[in-house]
Amino acid sequence: MGSSETRRRKGIRRSRRWMLPALIAIAYIVLQIIGRPTLAPANDAYRYNQAALQFLGDSPEQAHRTALKAYCHDKVRREMRSHELKPENLRDDAAPYPTPGKGFSACMAESADGLKPLSPRYERIFDVRPGFPVLAAPFVAVFGAGSGLLVTSVLFTVAGGLFAYLLLRAVGAPARFALLGQAFFYACPIGWWGGYPLTEGPVLALTMSALLGAWWLFNRRLTAGAILLAGSMVVGTAVKYSTFLLIAGALAAAAMVCLALVAGTRHRGTYFMAALNAAVVLGIGALSMHYNLPGSTETLQDTFTDHFAQPDVAAPWPMLVELNGNYWTHWIQEQVRSPWLVVAVGLGAWGLFRHSRALGWIVLAVGLTGIAAEIAHPVDSQGDRLMLNVWVIAVVGLPLLLHQLIQGRERVPQLPVAGTTSDSQPVSRSAH
Protein backbone atom coordinates (compact mmCIF):
# COMPACT_ATOMS: atom_id res chain seq x y z
CA MET A 1 0.00 0.00 0.00
CA GLY A 2 2.81 2.34 0.93
CA SER A 3 4.82 1.52 -2.20
CA SER A 4 1.84 2.13 -4.50
CA GLU A 5 1.20 5.48 -2.83
CA THR A 6 4.87 6.40 -3.26
CA ARG A 7 4.71 5.50 -6.96
CA ARG A 8 1.52 7.54 -7.37
CA ARG A 9 3.15 10.59 -5.78
CA LYS A 10 6.24 10.19 -7.93
CA GLY A 11 4.02 10.05 -11.02
CA ILE A 12 2.24 13.23 -9.96
CA ARG A 13 5.54 15.01 -9.36
CA ARG A 14 6.83 13.84 -12.74
CA SER A 15 3.71 15.08 -14.53
CA ARG A 16 3.93 18.42 -12.73
CA ARG A 17 7.61 18.69 -13.70
CA TRP A 18 6.65 18.54 -17.38
CA MET A 19 3.61 20.79 -17.09
CA LEU A 20 5.41 24.11 -17.56
CA PRO A 21 7.66 22.93 -20.43
CA ALA A 22 4.52 21.60 -22.14
CA LEU A 23 2.69 24.91 -21.64
CA ILE A 24 5.60 26.87 -23.11
CA ALA A 25 5.68 24.51 -26.09
CA ILE A 26 1.92 24.87 -26.61
CA ALA A 27 2.25 28.66 -26.44
CA TYR A 28 4.84 28.52 -29.23
CA ILE A 29 2.52 26.37 -31.38
CA VAL A 30 -0.40 28.76 -30.83
CA LEU A 31 1.75 31.75 -31.81
CA GLN A 32 2.80 29.97 -35.03
CA ILE A 33 -0.85 29.32 -35.88
CA ILE A 34 -1.72 32.98 -35.30
CA GLY A 35 1.30 34.19 -37.26
CA ARG A 36 0.97 31.86 -40.24
CA PRO A 37 -0.51 34.54 -42.58
CA THR A 38 2.81 36.43 -42.36
CA LEU A 39 4.79 33.58 -43.95
CA ALA A 40 6.22 34.21 -47.40
CA PRO A 41 6.02 31.41 -49.99
CA ALA A 42 9.17 29.28 -49.90
CA ASN A 43 10.76 28.00 -53.09
CA ASP A 44 12.54 25.26 -51.13
CA ALA A 45 9.24 24.13 -49.61
CA TYR A 46 7.86 23.43 -53.09
CA ARG A 47 10.72 20.99 -53.70
CA TYR A 48 10.43 19.31 -50.31
CA ASN A 49 6.68 18.96 -50.87
CA GLN A 50 7.32 17.32 -54.21
CA ALA A 51 9.65 14.78 -52.64
CA ALA A 52 7.27 14.05 -49.73
CA LEU A 53 4.36 13.49 -52.10
CA GLN A 54 6.42 11.10 -54.22
CA PHE A 55 7.37 9.16 -51.06
CA LEU A 56 3.61 8.88 -50.47
CA GLY A 57 3.12 7.33 -53.93
CA ASP A 58 2.33 10.27 -56.22
CA SER A 59 3.81 10.33 -59.69
CA PRO A 60 6.32 13.13 -60.41
CA GLU A 61 3.64 14.98 -62.41
CA GLN A 62 1.04 14.68 -59.63
CA ALA A 63 3.57 15.70 -57.00
CA HIS A 64 4.62 18.74 -59.05
CA ARG A 65 1.07 19.93 -59.53
CA THR A 66 0.03 19.43 -55.88
CA ALA A 67 3.18 21.11 -54.57
CA LEU A 68 2.77 23.97 -57.03
CA LYS A 69 -0.84 24.50 -55.91
CA ALA A 70 0.35 24.86 -52.32
CA TYR A 71 3.06 27.31 -53.40
CA CYS A 72 0.68 29.40 -55.51
CA HIS A 73 -1.92 29.58 -52.71
CA ASP A 74 0.80 30.94 -50.41
CA LYS A 75 2.00 33.37 -53.09
CA VAL A 76 -1.48 34.77 -53.76
CA ARG A 77 -2.18 35.10 -50.02
CA ARG A 78 1.08 36.98 -49.54
CA GLU A 79 0.41 39.31 -52.49
CA MET A 80 -3.10 40.11 -51.22
CA ARG A 81 -1.72 40.86 -47.78
CA SER A 82 0.94 43.15 -49.27
CA HIS A 83 -1.73 44.92 -51.33
CA GLU A 84 -3.92 45.52 -48.26
CA LEU A 85 -1.01 47.00 -46.28
CA LYS A 86 -0.24 49.76 -48.80
CA PRO A 87 -2.01 53.01 -47.78
CA GLU A 88 -2.45 54.21 -51.35
CA ASN A 89 -4.52 51.12 -52.16
CA LEU A 90 -7.22 52.25 -49.72
CA ARG A 91 -8.19 55.22 -51.94
CA ASP A 92 -11.52 54.99 -53.73
CA ASP A 93 -9.81 55.46 -57.09
CA ALA A 94 -7.10 52.85 -56.43
CA ALA A 95 -6.74 49.99 -58.88
CA PRO A 96 -8.36 46.87 -57.42
CA TYR A 97 -6.29 43.81 -56.70
CA PRO A 98 -6.92 41.05 -59.27
CA THR A 99 -9.25 38.37 -58.00
CA PRO A 100 -7.43 35.61 -56.09
CA GLY A 101 -8.55 33.11 -58.71
CA LYS A 102 -6.82 34.99 -61.49
CA GLY A 103 -3.65 35.36 -59.45
CA PHE A 104 -3.64 31.65 -58.68
CA SER A 105 -4.26 30.68 -62.31
CA ALA A 106 -1.46 32.97 -63.47
CA CYS A 107 0.95 31.43 -60.95
CA MET A 108 0.05 27.89 -62.02
CA ALA A 109 0.41 28.75 -65.70
CA GLU A 110 3.73 30.52 -65.19
CA SER A 111 5.29 27.47 -63.52
CA ALA A 112 3.49 24.74 -65.45
CA ASP A 113 6.81 23.05 -66.25
CA GLY A 114 8.19 23.49 -62.73
CA LEU A 115 9.10 26.26 -60.34
CA LYS A 116 12.27 28.10 -61.28
CA PRO A 117 15.19 27.56 -61.12
CA LEU A 118 14.86 24.45 -63.27
CA SER A 119 18.51 23.38 -63.50
CA PRO A 120 19.05 19.65 -62.84
CA ARG A 121 22.11 20.62 -60.79
CA TYR A 122 19.93 22.76 -58.54
CA GLU A 123 17.33 19.98 -58.21
CA ARG A 124 20.05 17.54 -57.17
CA ILE A 125 20.88 19.66 -54.12
CA PHE A 126 17.42 18.73 -52.80
CA ASP A 127 17.37 15.17 -54.14
CA VAL A 128 20.30 14.22 -51.89
CA ARG A 129 18.50 15.52 -48.77
CA PRO A 130 15.72 12.95 -48.35
CA GLY A 131 15.48 13.27 -44.57
CA PHE A 132 13.09 16.21 -44.29
CA PRO A 133 10.59 14.93 -46.92
CA VAL A 134 10.60 11.48 -45.27
CA LEU A 135 9.95 13.00 -41.83
CA ALA A 136 7.27 15.28 -43.28
CA ALA A 137 5.48 12.63 -45.39
CA PRO A 138 3.06 11.47 -42.62
CA PHE A 139 2.09 15.07 -41.86
CA VAL A 140 1.71 15.90 -45.56
CA ALA A 141 -0.60 12.87 -45.84
CA VAL A 142 -2.75 14.17 -42.96
CA PHE A 143 -2.59 17.97 -43.36
CA GLY A 144 -1.89 18.28 -47.08
CA ALA A 145 1.02 19.79 -49.00
CA GLY A 146 0.13 23.29 -47.85
CA SER A 147 0.45 22.59 -44.12
CA GLY A 148 2.25 19.27 -43.71
CA LEU A 149 5.77 20.66 -44.02
CA LEU A 150 4.96 23.54 -41.70
CA VAL A 151 3.54 21.20 -39.03
CA THR A 152 6.68 19.06 -39.30
CA SER A 153 9.02 21.99 -38.85
CA VAL A 154 7.04 23.51 -35.96
CA LEU A 155 6.85 20.19 -34.09
CA PHE A 156 10.58 19.64 -34.48
CA THR A 157 11.21 23.17 -33.24
CA VAL A 158 9.06 22.37 -30.22
CA ALA A 159 11.18 19.26 -29.67
CA GLY A 160 14.35 21.38 -29.97
CA GLY A 161 13.14 23.64 -27.18
CA LEU A 162 12.41 20.61 -25.00
CA PHE A 163 15.91 19.28 -25.68
CA ALA A 164 17.28 22.68 -24.64
CA TYR A 165 15.32 22.31 -21.38
CA LEU A 166 16.66 18.79 -20.83
CA LEU A 167 20.23 19.86 -21.57
CA LEU A 168 20.06 22.70 -19.06
CA ARG A 169 18.61 20.36 -16.45
CA ALA A 170 21.32 17.80 -17.22
CA VAL A 171 24.10 20.35 -16.63
CA GLY A 172 22.60 21.30 -13.27
CA ALA A 173 20.42 24.35 -13.97
CA PRO A 174 17.31 24.68 -11.74
CA ALA A 175 14.01 24.11 -13.48
CA ARG A 176 13.07 27.80 -13.72
CA PHE A 177 16.31 28.62 -15.56
CA ALA A 178 15.92 25.61 -17.85
CA LEU A 179 12.42 26.90 -18.70
CA LEU A 180 13.97 30.25 -19.52
CA GLY A 181 16.32 28.54 -21.97
CA GLN A 182 13.43 26.70 -23.60
CA ALA A 183 11.43 29.91 -23.97
CA PHE A 184 14.45 31.75 -25.39
CA PHE A 185 14.93 28.93 -27.93
CA TYR A 186 11.44 29.71 -29.25
CA ALA A 187 11.75 33.50 -28.97
CA CYS A 188 15.12 33.97 -30.69
CA PRO A 189 15.64 33.59 -34.48
CA ILE A 190 15.70 29.80 -34.04
CA GLY A 191 11.98 29.90 -33.28
CA TRP A 192 11.34 32.36 -36.12
CA TRP A 193 12.95 30.15 -38.78
CA GLY A 194 11.57 27.02 -37.13
CA GLY A 195 8.12 28.36 -38.02
CA TYR A 196 8.87 28.08 -41.76
CA PRO A 197 8.29 24.88 -43.79
CA LEU A 198 12.06 24.42 -44.17
CA THR A 199 14.78 22.22 -42.67
CA GLU A 200 15.71 24.62 -39.85
CA GLY A 201 13.24 23.07 -37.39
CA PRO A 202 14.58 19.50 -37.71
CA VAL A 203 18.21 20.64 -37.98
CA LEU A 204 18.11 22.67 -34.75
CA ALA A 205 16.17 19.98 -32.86
CA LEU A 206 18.71 17.35 -33.89
CA THR A 207 21.55 19.72 -33.01
CA MET A 208 20.19 20.12 -29.48
CA SER A 209 19.67 16.37 -29.09
CA ALA A 210 23.24 15.77 -30.30
CA LEU A 211 24.49 18.22 -27.65
CA LEU A 212 22.52 16.41 -24.96
CA GLY A 213 23.93 13.06 -26.11
CA ALA A 214 27.46 14.51 -26.08
CA TRP A 215 26.98 15.85 -22.54
CA TRP A 216 25.72 12.48 -21.34
CA LEU A 217 28.88 10.87 -22.73
CA PHE A 218 30.97 13.48 -20.91
CA ASN A 219 29.18 12.38 -17.74
CA ARG A 220 29.75 8.66 -18.37
CA ARG A 221 26.17 7.86 -19.42
CA LEU A 222 27.64 5.77 -22.21
CA THR A 223 24.67 3.83 -23.58
CA ALA A 224 22.09 6.63 -23.52
CA GLY A 225 24.59 9.22 -24.72
CA ALA A 226 25.87 7.06 -27.58
CA ILE A 227 22.37 6.15 -28.78
CA LEU A 228 21.14 9.75 -28.69
CA LEU A 229 24.25 11.24 -30.30
CA ALA A 230 24.53 8.58 -33.01
CA GLY A 231 20.80 8.71 -33.77
CA SER A 232 20.87 12.50 -34.02
CA MET A 233 23.82 12.35 -36.39
CA VAL A 234 22.29 9.70 -38.65
CA VAL A 235 18.94 11.48 -38.99
CA GLY A 236 20.65 14.88 -39.26
CA THR A 237 22.89 13.63 -42.06
CA ALA A 238 19.81 12.55 -44.01
CA VAL A 239 18.22 15.98 -43.46
CA LYS A 240 21.25 18.16 -44.27
CA TYR A 241 24.56 16.33 -44.49
CA SER A 242 26.66 19.47 -44.96
CA THR A 243 25.50 20.92 -41.63
CA PHE A 244 26.06 17.72 -39.68
CA LEU A 245 29.48 17.24 -41.23
CA LEU A 246 30.39 20.55 -39.56
CA ILE A 247 28.68 19.63 -36.27
CA ALA A 248 30.37 16.22 -36.08
CA GLY A 249 33.76 17.78 -36.81
CA ALA A 250 33.14 20.49 -34.21
CA LEU A 251 32.17 17.97 -31.50
CA ALA A 252 35.17 15.79 -32.28
CA ALA A 253 37.46 18.82 -32.01
CA ALA A 254 35.80 19.93 -28.75
CA ALA A 255 36.33 16.46 -27.27
CA MET A 256 40.03 16.58 -28.15
CA VAL A 257 40.38 20.05 -26.61
CA CYS A 258 38.69 18.84 -23.42
CA LEU A 259 40.95 15.79 -23.24
CA ALA A 260 43.97 18.07 -23.50
CA LEU A 261 42.87 20.99 -21.33
CA VAL A 262 39.97 20.11 -19.03
CA ALA A 263 40.61 18.10 -15.90
CA GLY A 264 38.36 15.12 -15.24
CA THR A 265 37.42 14.52 -18.89
CA ARG A 266 39.92 11.75 -19.64
CA HIS A 267 37.56 8.80 -19.48
CA ARG A 268 35.79 6.42 -21.85
CA GLY A 269 32.84 8.71 -22.49
CA THR A 270 34.97 11.55 -23.88
CA TYR A 271 37.14 9.21 -25.96
CA PHE A 272 34.02 7.54 -27.32
CA MET A 273 32.46 10.91 -28.17
CA ALA A 274 35.57 11.92 -30.10
CA ALA A 275 35.67 8.58 -31.94
CA LEU A 276 31.95 8.57 -32.75
CA ASN A 277 32.01 12.07 -34.23
CA ALA A 278 35.20 11.33 -36.16
CA ALA A 279 33.43 8.27 -37.59
CA VAL A 280 30.50 10.47 -38.66
CA VAL A 281 32.89 12.85 -40.44
CA LEU A 282 34.56 9.93 -42.25
CA GLY A 283 31.18 8.36 -43.03
CA ILE A 284 29.77 11.53 -44.59
CA GLY A 285 33.00 11.94 -46.56
CA ALA A 286 32.72 8.37 -47.86
CA LEU A 287 29.06 8.88 -48.81
CA SER A 288 29.96 12.10 -50.62
CA MET A 289 32.63 10.35 -52.65
CA HIS A 290 30.58 7.25 -53.40
CA TYR A 291 27.42 9.11 -54.48
CA ASN A 292 29.20 12.19 -55.82
CA LEU A 293 27.16 14.43 -53.53
CA PRO A 294 27.24 18.19 -54.21
CA GLY A 295 30.14 19.67 -52.24
CA SER A 296 31.60 23.06 -51.50
CA THR A 297 32.64 23.76 -55.11
CA GLU A 298 29.12 23.04 -56.38
CA THR A 299 27.68 25.28 -53.64
CA LEU A 300 29.96 28.10 -54.76
CA GLN A 301 28.89 27.68 -58.38
CA ASP A 302 25.26 27.78 -57.24
CA THR A 303 26.00 31.05 -55.42
CA PHE A 304 27.87 32.78 -58.23
CA THR A 305 25.70 31.60 -61.14
CA ASP A 306 22.28 32.52 -59.71
CA HIS A 307 21.34 28.87 -59.14
CA PHE A 308 23.11 27.71 -62.32
CA ALA A 309 21.21 30.14 -64.56
CA GLN A 310 24.56 31.59 -65.72
CA PRO A 311 27.71 29.81 -66.94
CA ASP A 312 30.05 28.47 -64.27
CA VAL A 313 32.72 30.84 -63.00
CA ALA A 314 36.35 29.89 -63.55
CA ALA A 315 37.71 30.80 -60.10
CA PRO A 316 34.99 30.57 -57.41
CA TRP A 317 37.34 30.46 -54.40
CA PRO A 318 38.97 33.90 -54.89
CA MET A 319 35.46 35.26 -55.47
CA LEU A 320 34.37 33.70 -52.17
CA VAL A 321 37.24 35.44 -50.37
CA GLU A 322 36.25 38.79 -51.87
CA LEU A 323 32.57 38.24 -51.10
CA ASN A 324 33.43 37.38 -47.50
CA GLY A 325 35.38 40.61 -47.16
CA ASN A 326 32.38 42.58 -48.37
CA TYR A 327 29.87 40.59 -46.33
CA TRP A 328 31.62 40.69 -42.97
CA THR A 329 32.37 44.40 -43.28
CA HIS A 330 28.65 44.96 -43.79
CA TRP A 331 27.80 42.52 -40.97
CA ILE A 332 30.06 44.29 -38.45
CA GLN A 333 28.51 47.64 -39.35
CA GLU A 334 25.04 46.19 -38.76
CA GLN A 335 26.08 44.69 -35.44
CA VAL A 336 27.50 48.00 -34.24
CA ARG A 337 24.08 49.56 -34.77
CA SER A 338 22.18 46.63 -33.26
CA PRO A 339 24.58 44.37 -31.31
CA TRP A 340 22.01 41.99 -29.81
CA LEU A 341 23.49 38.88 -31.38
CA VAL A 342 27.05 39.71 -30.31
CA VAL A 343 25.97 40.63 -26.78
CA ALA A 344 23.74 37.57 -26.33
CA VAL A 345 26.37 35.16 -27.67
CA GLY A 346 29.19 36.82 -25.73
CA LEU A 347 27.30 36.69 -22.43
CA GLY A 348 26.17 33.16 -23.23
CA ALA A 349 29.77 32.01 -23.79
CA TRP A 350 30.77 33.63 -20.49
CA GLY A 351 27.99 31.78 -18.68
CA LEU A 352 28.98 28.48 -20.28
CA PHE A 353 32.65 28.64 -19.30
CA ARG A 354 31.84 29.92 -15.81
CA HIS A 355 29.59 26.92 -15.32
CA SER A 356 31.76 24.22 -16.91
CA ARG A 357 34.75 24.41 -19.26
CA ALA A 358 33.77 21.10 -20.84
CA LEU A 359 30.23 22.34 -21.53
CA GLY A 360 31.66 25.62 -22.79
CA TRP A 361 33.88 23.93 -25.35
CA ILE A 362 31.25 21.59 -26.81
CA VAL A 363 28.48 24.22 -27.05
CA LEU A 364 30.88 26.87 -28.38
CA ALA A 365 32.17 24.45 -31.01
CA VAL A 366 28.65 23.64 -32.24
CA GLY A 367 27.65 27.30 -32.15
CA LEU A 368 30.63 28.33 -34.26
CA THR A 369 29.46 26.03 -37.05
CA GLY A 370 26.96 28.80 -37.78
CA ILE A 371 29.87 31.15 -38.51
CA ALA A 372 31.49 28.46 -40.67
CA ALA A 373 28.27 28.02 -42.67
CA GLU A 374 28.07 31.78 -43.21
CA ILE A 375 31.70 31.96 -44.37
CA ALA A 376 30.98 29.20 -46.89
CA HIS A 377 27.84 30.98 -48.12
CA PRO A 378 28.06 34.72 -47.35
CA VAL A 379 24.75 35.82 -48.86
CA ASP A 380 23.14 38.76 -47.06
CA SER A 381 19.54 37.68 -47.64
CA GLN A 382 20.20 34.34 -45.91
CA GLY A 383 22.60 35.54 -43.21
CA ASP A 384 20.49 35.10 -40.08
CA ARG A 385 19.16 31.76 -41.33
CA LEU A 386 22.59 30.27 -42.04
CA MET A 387 23.98 31.51 -38.72
CA LEU A 388 21.25 30.01 -36.54
CA ASN A 389 23.58 27.59 -34.75
CA VAL A 390 25.33 30.58 -33.16
CA TRP A 391 22.21 31.23 -31.09
CA VAL A 392 22.64 27.86 -29.36
CA ILE A 393 25.46 29.47 -27.34
CA ALA A 394 23.03 32.07 -25.99
CA VAL A 395 20.17 29.61 -25.47
CA VAL A 396 22.27 27.42 -23.17
CA GLY A 397 24.64 30.02 -21.75
CA LEU A 398 22.38 32.92 -20.79
CA PRO A 399 20.18 30.95 -18.34
CA LEU A 400 23.33 29.55 -16.72
CA LEU A 401 24.84 33.02 -16.40
CA LEU A 402 21.64 34.41 -14.88
CA HIS A 403 21.56 31.53 -12.40
CA GLN A 404 25.20 32.15 -11.45
CA LEU A 405 24.65 35.87 -10.93
CA ILE A 406 21.54 35.36 -8.79
CA GLN A 407 23.18 32.58 -6.84
CA GLY A 408 26.28 34.72 -6.26
CA ARG A 409 24.20 37.63 -5.01
CA GLU A 410 22.35 35.38 -2.60
CA ARG A 411 25.62 34.07 -1.18
CA VAL A 412 27.18 37.49 -0.53
CA PRO A 413 27.11 38.08 3.25
CA GLN A 414 25.10 41.11 4.22
CA LEU A 415 27.29 43.64 6.06
CA PRO A 416 25.66 45.37 9.06
CA VAL A 417 24.48 48.88 8.31
CA ALA A 418 25.42 51.76 10.59
CA GLY A 419 23.56 51.68 13.88
CA THR A 420 22.98 47.90 13.88
CA THR A 421 24.87 44.83 15.02
CA SER A 422 25.69 41.93 12.75
CA ASP A 423 22.47 40.17 13.77
CA SER A 424 20.46 43.26 12.83
CA GLN A 425 19.68 44.26 16.45
CA PRO A 426 19.75 48.02 17.12
CA VAL A 427 22.84 49.24 18.92
CA SER A 428 22.27 51.24 22.10
CA ARG A 429 23.86 54.68 22.02
CA SER A 430 24.81 54.32 25.68
CA ALA A 431 27.05 51.42 24.75
CA HIS A 432 29.39 53.88 23.04
Side-chain angles (χ1 to χ4, degrees):
M1 191 72 179
S3 61
S4 62
E5 179 65 19
T6 301
R7 285 196 299 269
R8 187 183 70 83
R9 288 179 179 178
K10 285 183 178 179
I12 293 173
R13 284 198 297 268
R14 193 178 297 114
S15 62
R16 286 177 178 174
R17 192 182 306 136
W18 280 103
M19 188 177 298
L20 285 176
L23 288 175
I24 293 173
I26 291 169
Y28 174 75
I29 293 172
V30 170
L31 291 175
Q32 298 313 302
I33 294 172
I34 294 171
R36 185 182 177 182
T38 65
L39 295 181
N43 190 300
D44 292 6
Y46 157 79
R47 287 167 167 79
Y48 290 128
N49 264 321
Q50 269 191 308
L53 289 163
Q54 289 185 61
F55 282 127
L56 291 170
D58 284 9
S59 68
E61 294 76 15
Q62 289 175 317
H64 153 66
R65 187 162 182 82
T66 304
L68 185 60
K69 283 181 179 178
Y71 174 85
C72 288
H73 278 303
D74 288 344
K75 185 172 184 287
V76 169
R77 185 200 68 231
R78 181 74 172 187
E79 289 174 349
M80 289 183 63
R81 182 180 179 85
S82 178
H83 181 82
E84 292 169 353
L85 291 174
K86 292 180 179 178
E88 62 271 20
N89 290 332
L90 298 178
R91 291 166 52 96
D92 292 337
D93 58 350
Y97 179 79
T99 63
K102 288 184 179 179
F104 177 79
S105 299
C107 176
M108 293 292 293
E110 182 183 359
S111 302
D113 296 327
L115 194 63
K116 295 179 181 179
L118 297 176
S119 168
R121 292 168 69 185
Y122 185 72
E123 298 289 345
R124 179 158 170 72
I125 292 174
F126 296 90
D127 292 341
V128 297
R129 297 177 186 171
F132 185 39
V134 168
L135 294 171
F139 299 100
V140 170
V142 174
F143 297 101
S147 300
L149 285 184
L150 183 60
V151 170
T152 307
S153 190
V154 167
L155 289 180
F156 268 96
T157 304
V158 166
L162 294 173
F163 277 121
Y165 172 83
L166 288 172
L167 177 59
L168 283 162
R169 293 292 285 148
V171 303
R176 63 185 184 276
F177 294 98
L179 290 169
L180 181 63
Q182 179 194 0
F184 187 51
F185 184 92
Y186 300 143
C188 76
I190 291 174
W192 167 269
W193 283 107
Y196 272 84
L198 302 170
T199 58
E200 275 63 38
V203 164
L204 267 297
L206 292 164
T207 298
M208 296 307 300
S209 64
L211 277 172
L212 179 59
W215 182 251
W216 282 349
L217 286 173
F218 263 98
N219 284 271
R220 296 180 173 87
R221 291 187 61 182
L222 300 183
T223 302
I227 291 173
L228 184 58
L229 179 58
S232 301
M233 288 296 174
V234 169
V235 179
T237 298
V239 173
K240 205 169 186 180
Y241 63 88
S242 57
T243 297
F244 282 85
L245 175 64
L246 291 174
I247 291 173
L251 285 174
M256 298 306 293
V257 169
C258 289
L259 287 167
L261 301 179
V262 182
T265 60
R266 293 183 180 179
H267 55 76
R268 284 192 303 165
T270 309
Y271 285 112
F272 189 69
M273 194 194 90
L276 193 155
N277 284 290
V280 172
V281 171
L282 293 174
I284 294 176
L287 286 173
S288 298
M289 292 177 63
H290 185 267
Y291 292 104
N292 194 27
L293 301 180
S296 55
T297 301
E298 191 74 349
T299 299
L300 292 181
Q301 293 294 351
D302 175 47
T303 300
F304 293 119
T305 61
D306 189 20
H307 305 305
F308 307 107
Q310 305 295 327
D312 283 6
V313 297
W317 292 100
M319 294 174 68
L320 177 65
V321 172
E322 183 178 355
L323 182 59
N324 266 291
N326 297 336
Y327 175 82
W328 291 107
T329 299
H330 171 73
W331 186 85
I332 290 170
Q333 291 167 346
E334 281 195 333
Q335 292 303 310
V336 169
R337 296 183 64 237
S338 182
W340 303 116
L341 171 60
V342 174
V343 170
V345 171
L347 291 175
W350 183 31
L352 287 168
F353 280 94
R354 281 188 58 171
H355 182 82
S356 163
R357 291 173 64 196
L359 179 67
W361 283 117
I362 63 173
V363 176
L364 181 67
V366 169
L368 291 179
T369 60
I371 302 292
E374 191 65 25
I375 291 172
H377 196 74
V379 177
D380 185 52
S381 62
Q382 299 294 310
D384 57 341
R385 179 184 173 193
L386 290 169
M387 212 182 293
L388 279 182
N389 278 4
V390 175
W391 284 98
V392 171
I393 300 171
V395 166
V396 182
L398 286 178
L400 293 175
L401 179 62
L402 184 60
H403 175 229
Q404 293 154 15
L405 295 176
I406 292 175
Q407 192 177 46
R409 187 180 64 182
E410 290 173 349
R411 287 179 178 176
V412 173
Q414 297 297 316
L415 297 176
V417 298
T420 65
T421 64
S422 59
D423 61 357
S424 299
Q425 295 298 320
V427 178
S428 171
R429 292 187 181 273
S430 61
H432 298 283

